[in-house]
Amino acid sequence: MRAVDIIEKKRDGLELSGDEIRYFIDGFTRGDLPDYQAAAFLMAVFLCGMTRSETVDLTLAMAHSGEMLDLSDITDYAVDKHSSGGVGDKTTLVVLPLVAACGVPVAKMSGRGLGFSGGTLDKLESIRGFRVDLSADEFRALARKNGIVLAGQSMALAPADGKLYALRDVTATVPSLPLIASSIMSKKIAAGANGIVLDVKMGRGAFMATLDDARELAKIMVEIGADAGRDVVAIISDMNQPLGEAVGNALEVAEAVETLRGEGPVDLREHCLAIAGHMLRLAGRGQRFTDAGEARALLEQQISSGAALASFRLMIEAQGGDAAMVDDTSKLPQASIQQPYTAAQSGYIAQVDALAIARAAFELGAGREKKGDPIDPAVGVKVHVKVGSPVGAGDALVTLYASDERKLQAAVSSLDQAFAFSAEPVEALPLFYDVISSR
Ligand code: URA
């Protein structure tokens, strides 16, 4: 077999065999195939697409390109969640302790933020001392002891994805359905999940701008999971406006803690209860948590009893974090400047553009342009309105949390693009659009 023949076949729109895909991915992972051939392969996939069976073969080849995590000594059925990335998306921080408090172990690997999308690891690192770089032994030991652990994606898992993603980033081949689907699913499969809840974001602040595209991505990932013997539920959720109010690392941790206390924004709470409910139902495998109403009541009980917050605190302490910052979120990093951004007119909010809001947080220093750049944990924004909110001229739409006047001005310019007003009442946006399931 020769790599050039595989590239040529894909370039001409023909279907690759499993052997050809495995040959290419294995060779590239080992370093036997050069980046320029992988880049040509990626562009051929980008332009010609892939069939379902090619996408499954690609996913499994990437999943098996490194170690496969086996969690069977910790639980006989591991559940995981993944978000396709959004603005203000601190769901994992709330959902993991909620599910763990119900007695379902969660051992999750998460990523860092790049560009306008935030990363769970960066958010958690705003808690002093919190360690995300756990060894495999520590990861397993904490999962077994506490039923909750959250670490950085191990380099040993799905290394083909890491190498391919770096090439996609610089060859304009990121927004391809089979490449995104195989990238996400290979990591979930390698991380040992039996049941996976996918939160597929749709809208201005998401990879998928339209409902049709989001549905297609969700469907492909559910199909990959089914063919790989995993149970997958994909929920298509709104990302036209930010989730919750806070966008920025420490601000999002504080909001997650408030939500675990039963005090956070309603949309974030509802979103988290829904995702956690699907995780419980998968974990119950038709034996437990079968009634959606009962599962929700059980989750709500974990919030009102303080059990979910206690589970979050346990995870923070176990990984070296300063739990005093959980008990009192005013101890989290604080920005030196707080400034309101006000409505220039009265009316109803017709748009809160998630991308413009993310750009404002980025301008303040909450995100990174390239891998390894430092971020400022204290800065960000809190958005006080949703689509449909009535506002008066001069009302605060946003509070900016900044550490630098110059950056503050750049963030204000981004916010100038974020809002639209209507004289007529505007309907609120739905939280969810669809649920696609392999069962
Ligand atoms: N998230 C991933 O892990 N991979 C992609 O390709 C896109 C989003």
Side-chain angles (χ1 to χ4, degrees):
M1 233 179 266
R2 294 192 319 154
V4 64
D5 298 327
I6 297 171
I7 297 168
E8 182 182 301
K9 195 169 167 187
K10 191 71 254 173
R11 179 202 68 192
D12 294 342
L14 300 173
E15 185 175 29
L16 298 176
S17 70
D19 282 344
E20 286 166 329
I21 289 173
R22 279 187 291 279
Y23 172 85
F24 202 96
I25 295 301
D26 291 350
F28 178 60
T29 309
R30 280 197 307 271
D32 294 349
L33 301 186
D35 280 2
Y36 50 80
Q37 284 193 308
F41 174 80
L42 290 169
M43 187 55 83
V45 172
F46 180 90
L47 294 173
C48 299
M50 275 188 150
T51 63
R52 170 171 173 168
S53 103
E54 284 180 303
T55 311
V56 171
D57 287 334
L58 177 62
T59 306
L60 292 179
M62 283 161 58
H64 287 276
S65 65
E67 278 174 24
M68 298 285 284
L69 195 61
D70 178 2
L71 297 170
S72 59
D73 57 328
I74 293 160
T75 173
D76 55 2
Y77 189 91
V79 279
D80 200 354
K81 74 161 279 279
H82 180 85
S83 158
S84 63
V87 181
D89 185 5
K90 68 283 288 176
T91 308
T92 293
L93 304 185
V94 179
V95 159
L96 251 55
L98 261 178
V99 171
C102 294
V104 172
V106 278
K108 180 165 170 54
M109 294 193 182
S110 281
R112 293 198 178 275
L114 193 59
F116 298 128
S117 78
T120 301
L121 300 184
D122 299 315
K123 293 171 200 189
L124 281 168
E125 279 181 346
S126 50
I127 299 176
R128 191 186 308 117
F130 187 80
R131 286 176 45 236
V132 298
D133 54 342
L134 305 180
S135 70
D137 286 346
E138 274 180 297
F139 184 79
R140 304 182 77 82
L142 288 177
R144 197 173 298 114
K145 180 163 172 253
N146 296 335
I148 182 166
V149 60
L150 199 154
Q153 174 84 24
S154 156
M155 297 298 283
L157 295 187
D161 176 61
K163 286 186 81 178
L164 284 174
Y165 197 91
L167 276 184
R168 285 168 62 204
D169 215 18
V170 291
T171 55
T173 51
V174 169
S176 146
L177 283 174
L179 295 180
I180 295 175
S182 55
S183 164
I184 292 174
M185 290 301 289
S186 63
K187 285 177 286 203
K188 295 288 114 183
I189 290 170
N194 302 98
I196 304 159
V197 176
L198 297 169
D199 184 2
V200 180
K201 304 284 188 197
M202 185 286 286
R204 288 280 302 155
F207 263 113
M208 299 293 132
T210 69
L211 190 51
D212 281 349
D213 282 351
R215 270 207 188 98
E216 207 179 328
L217 177 63
K219 200 165 147 274
I220 295 175
M221 292 196 288
V222 167
E223 287 174 356
I224 293 172
D227 288 1
R230 318 290 159 125
D231 301 313
V232 184
V233 178
I235 292 131
I236 300 177
S237 65
D238 183 73
M239 193 30 73
N240 285 296
Q241 61 186 351
L243 182 60
E245 294 185 9
V247 182
N249 298 287
L251 293 169
E252 293 192 43
V253 170
E255 189 167 279
V257 170
E258 282 162 30
T259 304
L260 288 166
R261 281 197 195 119
E263 296 160 7
V266 176
D267 64 330
L268 177 63
R269 176 186 166 93
E270 286 304 311
H271 184 88
C272 293
L273 286 171
I275 301 285
H278 283 289
M279 288 173 78
L280 282 191
R281 255 163 283 149
L282 279 180
R285 281 176 289 168
Q287 308 293 315
R288 293 190 300 152
F289 313 122
T290 48
D291 182 289
E294 268 177 40
R296 186 185 163 104
L298 181 66
L299 291 164
E300 285 176 334
Q301 207 182 311
Q302 307 313 309
I303 295 178
S304 56
S305 69
L309 182 62
S311 171
F312 181 73
R313 197 179 186 285
L314 178 69
M315 176 182 83
I316 298 302
E317 257 189 331
Q319 295 183 222
D322 182 355
M325 289 181 159
V326 178
D327 300 335
D328 176 0
T329 53
S330 71
K331 293 192 166 129
L332 284 163
Q334 301 289 323
S336 52
I337 308 168
Q338 289 187 24
Q339 181 175 300
Y341 176 89
T342 56
Q345 62 183 96
S346 64
Y348 296 88
I349 299 289
Q351 175 186 277
V352 185
D353 181 344
L355 191 58
I357 300 285
R359 204 170 284 135
F362 183 81
E363 296 290 359
L364 291 169
R368 58 171 68 83
E369 210 156 333
K370 56 181 195 313
K371 230 172 143 179
D373 283 352
I375 55 168
D376 184 342
V379 300
V381 297
K382 276 182 105 166
V383 185
H384 306 301
V385 292
K386 295 277 168 197
V387 167
S389 300
V391 292
D395 285 357
L397 301 176
V398 172
T399 303
L400 294 121
Y401 296 79
S403 57
D404 174 315
E405 282 292 343
R406 201 178 34 85
K407 291 180 179 171
L408 182 67
Q409 291 323 310
V412 167
S413 304
S414 293
L415 291 181
D416 289 340
Q417 322 293 317
F419 296 94
F421 299 83
S422 159
E424 305 301 322
V426 177
E427 242 184 78
L429 288 174
L431 278 181
F432 303 107
Y433 295 97
D434 209 350
V435 178
I436 296 167
S437 159
S438 60
R439 284 209 176 150

mmCIF file of all heavy atoms in Angstrom, residues 165 168 179-180 183-184 187 207, ligand 1:
data_model
loop_
_atom_site.group_PDB
_atom_site.id
_atom_site.type_symbol
_atom_site.label_atom_id
_atom_site.label_comp_id
_atom_site.label_asym_id
_atom_site.label_seq_id
_atom_site.Cartn_x
_atom_site.Cartn_y
_atom_site.Cartn_z
ATOM 1 N N TYR A 165 -5.263 17.286 14.284
ATOM 2 C CA TYR A 165 -5.925 18.563 14.595
ATOM 3 C C TYR A 165 -4.967 19.737 14.364
ATOM 4 O O TYR A 165 -5.358 20.772 13.822
ATOM 5 C CB TYR A 165 -6.481 18.585 16.023
ATOM 6 C CG TYR A 165 -7.483 19.696 16.162
ATOM 7 C CD1 TYR A 165 -8.829 19.469 15.918
ATOM 8 C CD2 TYR A 165 -7.080 20.998 16.443
ATOM 9 C CE1 TYR A 165 -9.753 20.492 15.963
ATOM 10 C CE2 TYR A 165 -7.987 22.035 16.490
ATOM 11 C CZ TYR A 165 -9.329 21.769 16.255
ATOM 12 O OH TYR A 165 -10.243 22.795 16.292
ATOM 13 N N ARG A 168 -4.975 20.366 10.755
ATOM 14 C CA ARG A 168 -6.258 20.937 10.299
ATOM 15 C C ARG A 168 -6.318 22.422 10.592
ATOM 16 O O ARG A 168 -6.815 23.221 9.790
ATOM 17 C CB ARG A 168 -7.427 20.214 10.986
ATOM 18 C CG ARG A 168 -7.687 18.825 10.433
ATOM 19 C CD ARG A 168 -8.633 18.059 11.325
ATOM 20 N NE ARG A 168 -9.931 18.685 11.426
ATOM 21 C CZ ARG A 168 -10.786 18.524 12.448
ATOM 22 N NH1 ARG A 168 -10.469 17.725 13.446
ATOM 23 N NH2 ARG A 168 -11.937 19.132 12.459
ATOM 24 N N LEU A 179 -14.438 14.977 9.772
ATOM 25 C CA LEU A 179 -13.217 15.225 10.554
ATOM 26 C C LEU A 179 -13.553 15.665 11.982
ATOM 27 O O LEU A 179 -12.896 15.242 12.941
ATOM 28 C CB LEU A 179 -12.317 16.252 9.854
ATOM 29 C CG LEU A 179 -11.735 15.794 8.501
ATOM 30 C CD1 LEU A 179 -10.866 16.878 7.885
ATOM 31 C CD2 LEU A 179 -10.930 14.500 8.651
ATOM 32 N N ILE A 180 -14.580 16.503 12.137
ATOM 33 C CA ILE A 180 -14.977 16.918 13.492
ATOM 34 C C ILE A 180 -15.534 15.707 14.243
ATOM 35 O O ILE A 180 -15.161 15.437 15.393
ATOM 36 C CB ILE A 180 -16.049 18.038 13.453
ATOM 37 C CG1 ILE A 180 -15.479 19.315 12.836
ATOM 38 C CG2 ILE A 180 -16.585 18.331 14.852
ATOM 39 C CD1 ILE A 180 -16.506 20.428 12.644
ATOM 40 N N SER A 183 -12.850 13.249 15.200
ATOM 41 C CA SER A 183 -11.962 13.831 16.204
ATOM 42 C C SER A 183 -12.594 13.716 17.597
ATOM 43 O O SER A 183 -11.956 13.249 18.560
ATOM 44 C CB SER A 183 -11.701 15.303 15.831
ATOM 45 O OG SER A 183 -11.172 16.014 16.903
ATOM 46 N N ILE A 184 -13.849 14.126 17.704
ATOM 47 C CA ILE A 184 -14.523 14.096 19.007
ATOM 48 C C ILE A 184 -14.711 12.652 19.473
ATOM 49 O O ILE A 184 -14.372 12.282 20.605
ATOM 50 C CB ILE A 184 -15.897 14.819 18.927
ATOM 51 C CG1 ILE A 184 -15.678 16.320 18.700
ATOM 52 C CG2 ILE A 184 -16.733 14.561 20.188
ATOM 53 C CD1 ILE A 184 -16.947 17.125 18.472
ATOM 54 N N LYS A 187 -11.678 10.449 20.720
ATOM 55 C CA LYS A 187 -11.201 10.739 22.081
ATOM 56 C C LYS A 187 -12.133 10.135 23.122
ATOM 57 O O LYS A 187 -11.693 9.609 24.151
ATOM 58 C CB LYS A 187 -11.091 12.251 22.276
ATOM 59 C CG LYS A 187 -9.865 12.827 21.566
ATOM 60 C CD LYS A 187 -9.785 14.328 21.679
ATOM 61 C CE LYS A 187 -10.779 15.015 20.804
ATOM 62 N NZ LYS A 187 -10.503 16.374 20.427
ATOM 63 N N PHE A 207 -19.530 25.930 16.413
ATOM 64 C CA PHE A 207 -18.978 25.403 15.163
ATOM 65 C C PHE A 207 -20.064 25.292 14.095
ATOM 66 O O PHE A 207 -19.857 25.562 12.924
ATOM 67 C CB PHE A 207 -18.441 23.977 15.401
ATOM 68 C CG PHE A 207 -16.973 23.914 15.644
ATOM 69 C CD1 PHE A 207 -16.477 23.540 16.878
ATOM 70 C CD2 PHE A 207 -16.083 24.219 14.625
ATOM 71 C CE1 PHE A 207 -15.112 23.471 17.109
ATOM 72 C CE2 PHE A 207 -14.729 24.149 14.848
ATOM 73 C CZ PHE A 207 -14.243 23.775 16.094
HETATM 74 N N1 URA B 1 -13.694 19.482 18.972
HETATM 75 C C1 URA B 1 -12.812 18.477 18.731
HETATM 76 O O1 URA B 1 -12.374 17.781 19.646
HETATM 77 N N2 URA B 1 -12.430 18.257 17.455
HETATM 78 C C2 URA B 1 -12.892 18.976 16.408
HETATM 79 O O2 URA B 1 -12.527 18.709 15.289
HETATM 80 C C3 URA B 1 -13.805 20.019 16.668
HETATM 81 C C4 URA B 1 -14.201 20.253 17.981
#
